[in-house]
Amino acid sequence: MVLPSGETVDPKELSSAEVLSVVAEQMNQVLPIKVGTEIELRSVEGRQGELIYHYVKTTPPSELFDKNRFMEEIRPIVLRRACRSQGMKLFFAHGVCARYDFRAENDQFIGEIIVTPRQCGY
């Protein structure tokens, strides 16, 4: 496998913290990116066996904001997009999980979704 940097990596090493950190570094060069009207992908982190996507809900939560309902509504969207992502196929095929961390602008934790290779048919 060839990383966007041009570095060649043995697919067996794809789930290593070193390789996933390099992948995350490369992704971070084009961030932040808006992924909806109220959500922005701010950074990506690579750890052993997982890529962690850090999202921020850019509109301040009101008193009526229900984080459980928000996570319930976004969960099937995240799962569907992760499993259909061409960029994630190779990672899922080699046992890498994707963790989606959602926070408010003030860094208050909203919730997280973990997508495993098994959930996507790998």
Side-chain angles (χ1 to χ4, degrees):
M1 173 192 170
V2 178
L3 297 176
S5 65
E7 183 181 349
T8 303
V9 174
D10 183 336
K12 294 176 198 153
E13 297 174 13
L14 201 54
S15 66
S16 74
E18 294 80 16
V19 171
L20 293 175
S21 291
V22 169
V23 170
E25 267 181 48
Q26 292 169 354
M27 294 173 80
N28 284 325
Q29 291 175 9
V30 297
L31 298 179
I33 294 176
K34 278 205 158 296
V35 292
T37 55
E38 320 184 308
I39 301 173
E40 195 172 84
L41 176 57
R42 294 271 173 95
S43 66
V44 180
E45 184 181 347
R47 290 190 191 157
Q48 183 68 38
E50 70 180 357
L51 284 168
I52 305 163
Y53 297 87
H54 298 281
Y55 289 91
V56 172
K57 186 176 183 309
T58 55
T59 53
S62 70
E63 293 173 10
L64 302 174
F65 178 69
D66 181 345
K67 62 182 176 181
N68 292 329
R69 183 170 175 204
F70 173 81
M71 293 306 295
E72 223 173 85
E73 290 173 356
I74 205 163
R75 187 175 311 281
I77 296 166
V78 168
L79 183 61
R80 185 173 54 251
R81 286 186 180 173
C83 291
R84 290 182 181 170
S85 168
Q86 290 299 313
M88 284 303 298
K89 279 186 178 185
L90 185 63
F91 294 102
F92 286 141
H94 289 89
V96 177
C97 294
R99 180 184 305 261
Y100 300 86
D101 177 71
F102 292 89
R103 296 186 179 267
E105 192 70 61
N106 65 1
D107 202 38
Q108 179 183 8
F109 181 72
I110 295 173
E112 76 176 7
I113 299 166
I114 300 171
V115 179
T116 66
R118 174 178 266 169
Q119 288 173 290
C120 295
Y122 293 92

